[in-house]
Amino acid sequence: MSGTLLLPPLLTGAQVTVELTLTSTVLGAMLAFSAGMARGAGPWPLRLFAATYIEIFRGTSLLVQLFWLYYALPLIGPRIDPFVTGIIALSLNIGAYGAEVVRGALLAVPRAQHEAAVALNFTARQTLWRIILPQALPEMMPPLGNLAVQNLKDTSLVSMITIADLTFRAQTLRNLTLNSIPVYSLTLLLYFAMALVLMAGMRGLERWVRIKGQGDMARA
Amino acid sequence: MTDTPIIRFQNVSKRYGDLTVLDHFDFEVMSGEKVTLIGPSGSGKSTVLRILMTLEPVQEGVVELDGLSYRQPGRHGPFHASARHLHQIRSRVGMVFQNFNLFPHMSVLRNITEAPVAVLGLSKADARARAHELLEMVGLADKAQAFPAQLSGGQKQRVAIARALAMRPRVLLFDEPTSALDPELVGEVQEVIRRLAHEHDLTMLLVTHEMRFAREISDRVCFFDQGRIVEQGPPGEIMINPAQPRTRAFLGAYLPETSTG
């Protein structure tokens, strides 16, 4: 069986993978910033809440989280659509890992910068938004880019809860054709191609953050 | 200079674990006075400035600035001051750090205008006009659009002085402002501070190891050792004829003309 026949169903799956990746990366980034800033610079109740969230999701398996949401949750609560389940689990996961990146970058801004902010009488909130975050943002971009690529690859786990993503399609095709080598080779190539595009996108975003920072400076 | 003390330390002790940095410390500074704090490393000079800038809490004793106490009475004794109260204190004090501590992501101009706009509520136009005046004063009128990374150490410190002055403090603290500079850049920063000392009624506290400079600009020199002021007085007295052997020994290392015998 030739690649041209395998490609259309795989591309259909790849489209689902792209949708999952983009949605959960964007949602995850929002979670990462909220939880990271809460844990790194928030009042203690928020800090505790953020820490609990981060440690639970960093400390448990994504696959088991998916199974729990898909198979266990409906027994005690609502049944959620598998695609939405996948988005929720992936977002919460990348959010937890990303939060640690955000927190680490905030903490890496030298103490002297905080002291200068105190000496100029900035409030804690002004210090965070005007002094600390703009310096931390460029530092967190490369590790966040890595997480986005990690997230793309993690989406393959959602095939286990019946979402017809790229991995799901590949398994179906293999069962149908018993032709493992072309099916999985093509699948790997497709993941690699998507990762390349994503990495290029993240590098662009990284550059934009730096240039944006300098634009702020120039506007003063 | 007036006869009202603007700064008052009374029986202040400050410890880091077992290390006593200030030991039952008493100190007053008059409004408009220029005071230099000298003494060996670890004698508590910088701690006095850091306490005044609210960068370090006090565990014991009374610290007041312009009548505002650094600790407020609470139900169980004196507490650290509230954020609001600290805000009032900080509005009267500015600080120039040894390592400049400019904001690297902002232009020189923005370093100087950010706080006046965000904290004092000045319009951007007013803040910029004032920043340009201050840059003129420190001799950096042409550097408004530069970034800190593009400046020499001496230029950075002059920007830091302009940034502190933009907040119109009543008290300006200088924590070893020339210690991090290459020797050939020390002069330009000292010149700016000298002019401030001679032309403004600002209250100035300066920690330095530059003894000649201290003598030129101070109304009073305080010699610190082991968390206390061992000796203080007009620079002419302290630096030429110190009464205490410890002061003599210390100055002997810095000023060849001071007798160490």
Side-chain angles (χ1 to χ4, degrees):
Chain A
M1 194 171 180
S2 77
T4 44
L5 283 175
L6 293 174
L7 207 51
L10 286 180
L11 283 177
T12 313
Q15 194 187 333
V16 174
T17 295
V18 168
E19 285 165 11
L20 279 167
T21 305
L22 290 182
T23 317
S24 62
T25 301
V26 169
L27 289 175
M30 290 178 192
L31 272 171
F33 272 95
S34 317
M37 285 171 63
R39 192 177 188 185
W44 77 264
L46 260 183
R47 211 177 283 203
L48 186 70
F49 180 74
T52 310
Y53 153 62
I54 292 166
E55 296 312 336
I56 284 176
F57 280 87
R58 287 203 312 164
T60 56
S61 146
L62 172 57
L63 186 58
V64 180
Q65 289 164 24
L66 281 167
F67 284 163
W68 195 89
L69 284 174
Y70 191 64
Y71 295 112
L73 183 62
L75 300 178
I76 51 169
R79 168 174 291 282
I80 311 170
D81 169 73
F83 188 83
V84 176
T85 304
I87 296 281
I88 291 174
L90 287 166
S91 305
L92 285 168
N93 251 274
I94 191 185
Y97 281 99
E100 285 300 276
V101 169
V102 171
R103 181 176 80 109
L106 290 175
L107 293 181
V109 175
R111 204 181 133 84
Q113 292 289 311
H114 291 268
E115 295 189 343
V118 166
L120 291 167
N121 212 358
F122 287 110
T123 63
R125 182 189 295 251
Q126 288 172 332
T127 303
L128 177 63
W129 286 95
R130 291 165 187 265
I131 313 298
I132 305 305
L133 197 59
Q135 293 183 58
L137 206 52
E139 300 310 314
M140 53 180 89
M141 291 316 290
L144 287 181
N146 280 340
L147 282 180
V149 174
Q150 186 66 49
N151 192 42
L152 163 68
K153 296 183 290 182
D154 282 347
T155 58
S156 64
L157 290 175
V158 302
S159 62
M160 308 293 283
I161 57 166
T162 74
I163 300 178
D165 75 329
L166 177 54
T167 301
F168 186 90
R169 296 280 178 182
Q171 275 164 333
T172 316
L173 273 181
R174 196 210 72 105
N175 292 343
L176 210 66
T177 63
L178 300 177
N179 225 341
S180 294
I181 294 176
V183 168
Y184 284 128
S185 303
L186 216 53
T187 304
L188 280 181
L189 274 176
L190 284 173
Y191 272 112
F192 188 55
M194 288 189 278
L196 281 180
V197 173
L198 187 57
M199 282 188 270
M202 289 307 292
R203 261 198 300 277
L205 193 61
E206 200 181 318
R207 233 188 340 263
W208 182 76
V209 165
R210 286 185 198 279
I211 292 167
K212 175 81 169 61
Q214 296 199 333
D216 276 354
M217 300 176 231
R219 252 186 282 122
Chain B
M1 207 199 306
T2 68
D3 288 338
T4 351
I6 187 166
I7 294 168
R8 199 161 70 92
F9 282 68
Q10 200 176 67
N11 203 23
V12 172
S13 292
K14 167 85 188 162
R15 292 177 203 88
Y16 297 106
D18 287 342
L19 181 73
T20 302
V21 191
L22 292 179
D23 185 17
H24 301 285
F25 177 78
D26 294 309
F27 183 49
E28 277 188 359
V29 178
M30 298 299 155
S31 185
E33 199 179 5
K34 327 293 180 204
V35 181
T36 304
L37 316 183
I38 61 169
S41 301
S43 58
K45 322 174 291 284
S46 289
T47 304
V48 168
L49 300 197
R50 293 178 59 81
I51 287 173
L52 285 170
M53 194 64 259
T54 71
L55 296 172
E56 301 280 349
V58 203
Q59 289 128 341
E60 238 183 273
V62 176
V63 180
E64 279 178 5
L65 185 136
D66 208 7
L68 296 167
S69 169
Y70 279 59
R71 295 196 296 174
Q72 286 176 302
R75 263 189 307 161
H76 310 288
F79 276 65
H80 295 309
S82 66
R84 203 191 145 107
H85 188 72
L86 287 175
H87 193 75
Q88 282 194 311
I89 291 174
R90 288 170 189 156
S91 72
R92 290 159 166 78
V93 200
M95 186 155 178
V96 173
F97 298 88
Q98 182 176 351
N99 294 306
F100 333 124
N101 300 8
L102 294 181
F103 303 129
H105 60 298
M106 296 179 185
S107 68
V108 163
L109 188 64
R110 180 104 181 262
N111 260 280
I112 302 172
T113 56
E114 188 78 357
V117 171
V119 179
L120 303 180
L122 257 64
S123 75
K124 276 191 178 174
D126 287 350
R128 276 176 210 172
R130 171 130 180 85
H132 283 296
E133 273 170 37
L134 287 165
L135 281 173
E136 190 89 38
M137 192 199 95
V138 300
L140 292 171
D142 56 332
K143 295 290 183 190
Q145 301 305 326
F147 284 91
Q150 300 166 312
L151 303 179
S152 73
Q155 292 172 330
K156 282 183 201 172
Q157 195 59 299
R158 287 186 280 154
V159 171
I161 293 171
R163 181 175 74 169
L165 288 171
M167 295 300 282
R168 300 185 186 276
R170 299 197 52 195
V171 176
L172 191 49
L173 312 168
F174 293 88
D175 191 8
E176 303 200 27
T178 57
S179 297
L181 298 176
D182 291 338
E184 76 271 20
L185 302 177
V186 168
E188 62 189 56
V189 173
Q190 287 185 344
E191 180 51 37
V192 168
I193 300 174
R194 188 180 293 122
R195 234 173 328 121
L196 267 181
H198 292 152
E199 293 168 16
H200 284 255
D201 57 357
L202 199 64
T203 307
M204 286 170 51
L205 260 70
L206 172 83
V207 170
T208 187
H209 291 285
E210 306 280 341
M211 296 303 145
R212 281 172 211 284
F213 180 58
R215 200 159 79 188
E216 286 170 30
I217 67 153
S218 325
D219 299 314
R220 172 159 57 117
V221 172
C222 302
F223 174 68
F224 277 63
D225 196 28
Q226 298 180 352
R228 285 165 180 258
I229 294 176
V230 174
E231 186 169 3
Q232 57 181 315
E237 264 170 45
I238 298 290
M239 299 191 135
I240 307 300
N241 280 315
Q244 299 288 331
R246 271 186 288 175
T247 319
R248 269 203 295 272
F250 176 79
L251 288 171
Y254 285 94
L255 294 173
E257 72 267 35
T258 307
S259 130
T260 49

